């Protein structure tokens, strides 16, 4: 077990490069199931969720090589159609193999994900959509079992905007007979990237990026040679790191247009953000102004940035209100931030944060990926030492965040956490 140790109080300065997006790499890796031959994916972040996905593909029979940001996946030998409980319980996005397996092989068996730290997160929309496309879907012993001779195109009206739901159904529809329309579709850049890559593989998808995606099914797809888009959430996290430490940082290898909502809120809070083609310079000179926000599907403010922004607001001048509208329980960081001296009141899906002038270092427990990132941000500015335990949550989605922050001057390191001896 490792822990992160941060000695706070350094203003970050310098340049940092952002890695490829976990939430783009995962569906792209799953999309390789749709083709036969060797797929190549570049700019793949070396994070635990990516390695779990590679394991899942290997379990299906694929040959996977992953090194130095490049993944090669050959799927000729797929002979198993199952995502087992052991993998799904560690990564809900495993469910993204359902659509591709069903479309290409006519069958799939995927463990039903349980609840998770940030909310119930059902997959009813994925299943309802596949059933509407003609699949038989059964629940048996905790697994979803789906089969179909060939899926058929239809109109799918999603009850809510779901990112992986849209991705799963879009992938399924690429090999279906006829036209599928996904209405109330997710518009996230990762959905657009997936559609672009699928089109390069021979799919016929239009409308990705709007709330109505149309997919004309084809008989087969070619392998992909694609590059994962930059991680807008890692970029946003680093932007908040620059602001909370009152630093001056160039955040590079990004697509600034994907960060419009985050940039707008940081500017409202008093940051100077200069945008160039593939990088932004973020500066903040004094305590942030208090800013209210509600999380929303893209292009609104991302739920994946809510915890990090709350860390920033905990030091704001004044009171801010943050409403979480996507996940009902995504406030696990609040109790830990309060242990550092933050003043936060929770009322259902709403947090009221009365800014303080100083946070204090403390021993903390990471609870989920983005909550961990918010504790790192708070630790960077806190007075004294912060120790964050259960850092494996951070490793699921950030590639070497500590090293990147160290490169900007932060005093952050990883050490082995002593397992306490039982007291007799
Ligand atoms: N929902 C349903 N039924 C469904 C699907 C979703 O009720 O069938 C609900 C969810 O419970 C939630 C809302 O719809 O309340 C939106 O969930 P969504 O399906 O969009 O989430 P997801 O696809 O499971 C992806 C990201 C998350 C990110 C959300 C929202 C990936 C692999 N994961 O999850 O990323 O928070 O979209 O933007 O793309 C993270 O990276 O830390 C992370 C959690």
């Amino acid at each position: 077990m490792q822990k992160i140790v941060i000695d706070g109080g350094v203003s970050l300065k310098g340049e940092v490069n952002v890695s490829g997006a976990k939430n783009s790499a995962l569906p792209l890796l799953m999309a390789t199931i749709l083709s036969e031959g060797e797929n190549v994916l570049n700019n793949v972040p070396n994070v635990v969720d990516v390695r779990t996905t590679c394991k899942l593909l290997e379990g299906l029979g694929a040959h996977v090589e992953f090194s130095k940001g490049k993944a090669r996946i050959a799927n000729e030998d797929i002979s198993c159609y199952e995502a087992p409980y052991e993998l799904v319980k560690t990564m809900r996005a495993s469910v993204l193999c359902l659509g591709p397996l069903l479309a290409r092989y006519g069958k799939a068996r995927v463990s039903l994900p349980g609840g998770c730290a940030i909310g119930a997160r059902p997959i009813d929309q994925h299943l309802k959509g596949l059933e509407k496309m003609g699949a038989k879907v059964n629940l048996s012993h905790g697994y979803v079992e789906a089969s179909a001779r060939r899926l058929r195109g239809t109109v799918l009206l999603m009850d809510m905007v779901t990112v992986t739901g849209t991705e799963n159904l879009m992938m399924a529809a690429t090999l279906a007979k006829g036209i599928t329309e996904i209405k109330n579709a997710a518009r996230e850049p990762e959905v657009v990237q997936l559609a672009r890559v699928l089109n390069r593989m021979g799919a016929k998808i239009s409308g990705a990026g709007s709330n109505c995606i149309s997919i004309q099914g084809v008989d087969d797809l070619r392998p992909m040679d694609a590059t994962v888009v930059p991680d807008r959430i890692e970029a946003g996290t680093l932007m908040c790191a620059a602001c909370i430490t009152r630093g001056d940082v160039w955040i590079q290898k990004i697509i600034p247009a994907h960060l419009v909502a985050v940039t707008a809120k940081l500017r409202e809070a008093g940051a100077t953000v200069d945008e160039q083609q593939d990088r932004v310079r973020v500066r903040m000179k004094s305590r942030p102004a208090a800013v209210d926000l509600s999380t929303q599907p893209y292009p609104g403010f991302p739920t994946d940035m809510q915890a990090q922004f709350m860390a920033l607001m905990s030091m704001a001048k004044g009171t801010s209100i943050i409403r979480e509208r996507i996940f009902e329980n995504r406030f696990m960081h609040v109790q830990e931030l309060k242990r550092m001296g933050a003043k936060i009141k929770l009322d259902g899906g709403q947090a009221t944060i009365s800014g303080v002038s100083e946070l204090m270092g403390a021993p903390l427990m990471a609870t989920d990926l983005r909550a961990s990132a918010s504790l790192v941000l708070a630790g960077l500015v806190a007075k004294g030492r912060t120790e964050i335990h259960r850092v494996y949550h951070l490793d699921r989605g950030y590639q070497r965040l500590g090293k990147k922050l160290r490169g900007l001057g932060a005093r952050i390191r990883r050490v082995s956490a002593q397992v306490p001896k039982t007291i007799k």
Side-chain angles (χ1 to χ4, degrees):
M1 283 281 236
Q2 291 193 314
K3 63 181 176 185
I4 290 178
V5 179
I6 309 171
D7 290 306
V10 178
S11 286
L12 301 188
K13 288 201 171 48
E15 297 171 357
V16 58
N17 291 338
V18 167
S19 302
K22 163 184 84 83
N23 288 349
S24 176
L26 303 185
L28 288 172
L29 286 165
M30 296 297 195
T32 63
I33 296 172
L34 292 163
S35 72
E36 193 168 314
E38 193 184 72
N39 296 271
V40 179
L41 199 51
N42 301 296
N43 201 30
V44 181
N46 188 0
V47 295
V48 171
D49 278 8
V50 161
R51 296 202 294 272
T52 304
T53 307
C54 291
K55 243 186 245 165
L56 190 153
L57 293 171
E58 280 173 340
L60 302 178
H63 297 274
V64 183
E65 279 173 32
F66 175 40
S67 127
K68 295 187 182 150
K70 189 183 277 278
R72 289 178 191 278
I73 301 115
N75 285 329
E76 284 90 347
D77 296 332
I78 286 188
S79 53
C80 167
Y81 312 100
E82 177 173 316
Y85 176 68
E86 287 64 40
L87 292 182
V88 179
K89 76 171 186 216
T90 64
M91 189 190 70
R92 305 176 55 83
S94 306
V95 75
L96 279 169
C97 70
L98 185 57
L101 281 175
L102 196 55
R104 175 109 194 278
Y105 298 100
K107 50 187 162 183
R109 188 166 185 268
V110 174
S111 172
L112 191 66
C116 84
I118 61 176
R121 299 181 80 182
I123 57 161
D124 56 301
Q125 299 298 303
H126 305 231
L127 303 183
K128 196 168 129 188
L130 292 171
E131 274 183 318
K132 186 128 194 267
M133 294 171 81
K136 275 200 192 126
V137 178
N138 288 317
L139 184 66
S140 172
H141 302 287
Y143 277 74
V144 174
E145 292 176 345
S147 60
R149 285 186 70 179
R150 186 176 181 188
L151 294 169
R152 34 168 215 278
T154 183
V155 176
L156 303 173
L157 175 58
M158 312 299 284
D159 291 342
M160 79 279 297
V161 176
T162 152
V163 177
T164 51
T166 302
E167 291 167 344
N168 227 345
L169 295 171
M170 187 165 72
M171 288 191 280
T174 55
L175 295 179
K177 191 170 164 49
I179 297 174
T180 303
E181 276 186 13
I182 306 177
K183 293 181 187 282
N184 198 22
R187 301 166 60 190
E188 270 66 5
E190 295 76 19
V191 174
V192 176
Q193 158 89 347
L194 176 64
R196 281 199 187 128
V197 173
L198 289 168
N199 279 344
R200 285 210 301 276
M201 294 166 77
K204 293 191 173 154
I205 302 172
S206 57
S210 76
N211 61 7
C212 182
I213 301 178
S214 173
I215 307 120
Q216 162 84 62
V218 296
D219 289 339
D220 43 41
L221 294 175
R222 302 181 283 277
M224 69 174 78
D225 186 347
T227 300
V228 175
V229 286
D231 194 320
R232 64 195 166 95
I233 305 302
E234 185 196 333
T237 303
L238 291 164
M239 290 167 84
C240 284
C243 292
I244 202 167
T245 63
R246 296 175 209 171
D248 181 353
V249 179
W250 280 100
I251 294 142
Q252 314 191 124
K253 294 200 175 174
I254 63 166
I255 300 176
H258 291 172
L259 283 148
V260 168
V262 173
T263 301
K265 284 294 163 191
L266 288 177
R267 282 186 176 140
E268 229 179 290
T272 306
V273 183
D274 300 319
E275 295 175 358
Q276 293 185 354
Q277 199 188 354
D278 64 350
R279 57 184 200 154
V280 291
R281 180 181 182 186
V282 182
R283 284 171 282 171
M284 195 168 238
K285 288 214 173 85
S286 49
R287 274 176 72 189
V291 166
D292 298 340
L293 66 85
S294 298
T295 62
Q296 281 163 8
Y298 190 85
F301 191 92
T303 173
D304 290 346
M305 280 301 303
Q306 179 259 109
Q308 301 89 313
F309 207 83
M310 193 180 298
L312 181 64
M313 287 299 101
S314 66
M315 296 208 59
K317 265 193 240 148
T319 300
S320 55
I321 293 178
I322 295 186
R323 294 183 186 86
E324 173 55 57
R325 300 249 197 246
I326 308 292
F327 293 112
E328 66 274 19
N329 193 26
R330 208 172 199 180
F331 283 128
M332 307 282 279
H333 43 286
V334 169
Q335 290 311 324
E336 300 301 295
L337 290 173
K338 281 169 82 166
R339 298 186 57 247
M340 303 176 82
K343 292 204 171 125
I344 306 173
K345 270 198 197 133
L346 270 185
D347 181 10
Q350 177 170 312
T352 305
I353 305 124
S354 309
V356 294
S357 59
E358 198 170 81
L359 294 175
M360 293 165 294
L364 305 171
M365 198 71 89
T367 47
D368 71 72
L369 173 57
R370 308 303 171 187
S372 318
S374 90
L375 302 184
V376 170
L377 296 184
L380 290 175
V381 70
K383 203 167 162 51
R385 180 163 289 187
T386 296
E387 292 189 354
I388 305 174
H389 297 260
R390 299 199 180 157
V391 293
Y392 50 84
H393 289 292
L394 197 71
D395 297 336
R396 289 189 54 187
Y398 287 93
Q399 177 171 314
R400 296 174 155 240
L401 185 64
K403 189 174 177 214
K404 288 177 181 173
L405 292 169
R406 245 188 339 270
L408 298 171
R411 292 177 297 197
I412 176 169
R413 64 201 158 92
R414 246 171 214 248
V415 296
S416 296
Q418 298 285 327
V419 179
K421 288 193 184 124
T422 319
I423 301 166
K424 288 190 179 160

